[in-house]
Structures are given as C-alpha cells and as structure tokens.
Amino acid sequence: MPKTGFSEALDELLEQDTRYDREGYLFLRDSLEFTLKQKRKGRSSEIRHVTAAELMDGVRVFALREFGPMVPTVFNYWGVYSCGDLGVMVFNLINAGIFGKNDNDAIDDFKNGFDFHAAFVAPFLPENSPRPIQHSHTIERVADADPERRLP
C-alpha cells in the first residue's frame, strides 16, 4: 500500500471536515516547523515533540511575522476564531496521520491558549487608545453546529 503524502492526506481531511480552509492547515504545518526551529536554537539534540502551549506560542509569533495586523482577517477567512479552532485543526491533522502526538496531548490543551484580540489586535492599536468593549458572551458559530456549513 503506497504511503499517503501530506497533500493527499490533507485532501482527505478536507473532504471529512470542511470547517477550515486548506491554507489554514498549511499555515499550521509551517507554524509547527517554525516552532521546532525556535526550540532547536542553542541545542545540539533534535527536538521532535511540541506541547500545545509551545505550538500556540509559535503560531502567535509566526502569524504576527507573516501577516502583521492582517492576522485576524486571514484567520477569519480560514475559519479560525480561537485557539480552540487551532486545537481542532491540530487533532484533525493527528487523526489524518500528518501530525503525531504523545499520550499526554489532549485537545483541551488548546482551549485556553491565548486571547486573539490581545495577541493580534492590541499590538497594533495606537497608544492611549481606549480598548473596544469586549462582550462577555461567546458567539456560537454556525460551523460548530453544522460542520458541512462554512461561514463566509
């Protein structure tokens, strides 16, 4: 049986779960590579595993480097609204055999990663600018209720 490559495995994943854009998964793969490179700096041995917290920090730094103030726009286009979404994507990649995991890894590790507004919007607000009102409720996305339906 021929080994499935990344692109083929991703195609199958996208057929099963349409909530997230292909580019978001490619970005997540690149973020993992970026995170691994950051962890290897100054170490002689190769590092093969990244925790959820380390990956989320790598995603945050890499996204800001790649997209600057456009991160929220790009992530919204991909269907990514929180670290929880990134966790679902990571576990989709794990289930597709693209990413690996150890026994301690859990999808819940991603739920409290970081606040998207604080990470991706606040750094670009002018100094002395009042912070916009933050609503205390969570908006339920249609895609969460029905994975076949994507948000625009």
Side-chain angles (χ1 to χ4, degrees), residues 34-138:
F34 172 81
T35 303
L36 285 167
K37 285 178 187 174
Q38 295 300 308
K39 282 185 70 170
R40 282 188 211 121
K41 284 186 179 178
R43 296 184 183 184
S44 58
S45 63
E46 187 172 322
I47 297 169
R48 295 188 170 264
H49 185 73
V50 173
T51 66
E54 291 168 333
L55 181 56
M56 290 301 88
D57 189 53
V59 165
R60 182 186 56 76
V61 172
F62 190 61
L64 289 168
R65 286 185 182 183
E66 291 293 305
F67 306 116
M70 294 298 296
V71 173
T73 302
V74 172
F75 277 23
N76 286 343
Y77 182 78
W78 293 341
V80 177
Y81 302 96
S82 69
C83 289
D85 285 318
L86 293 168
V88 170
M89 293 172 70
V90 166
F91 272 80
N92 281 348
L93 291 167
I94 290 168
N95 293 333
I98 298 170
F99 280 10
K101 78 176 205 79
N102 68 28
D103 293 337
N104 297 324
D105 293 329
I107 196 165
D108 288 340
D109 296 341
F110 292 89
K111 289 188 178 173
N112 296 318
F114 58 85
D115 176 80
F116 271 32
H117 179 84
F120 301 134
V121 177
F124 300 101
L125 293 175
E127 288 187 32
N128 301 322
S129 172
R131 183 180 166 130
I133 297 172
Q134 294 294 305
H135 299 285
S136 61
H137 65 281
T138 302

Side-chain angles (χ1 to χ4, degrees), residues 19 21 30 32-33 37 48 72 81 109 122-123 137 139 145:
R19 290 178 288 179
D21 190 82
D30 294 345
L32 176 61
E33 288 300 317
K37 285 178 187 174
R48 295 188 170 264
Y81 302 96
D109 296 341
H137 65 281
I139 299 172

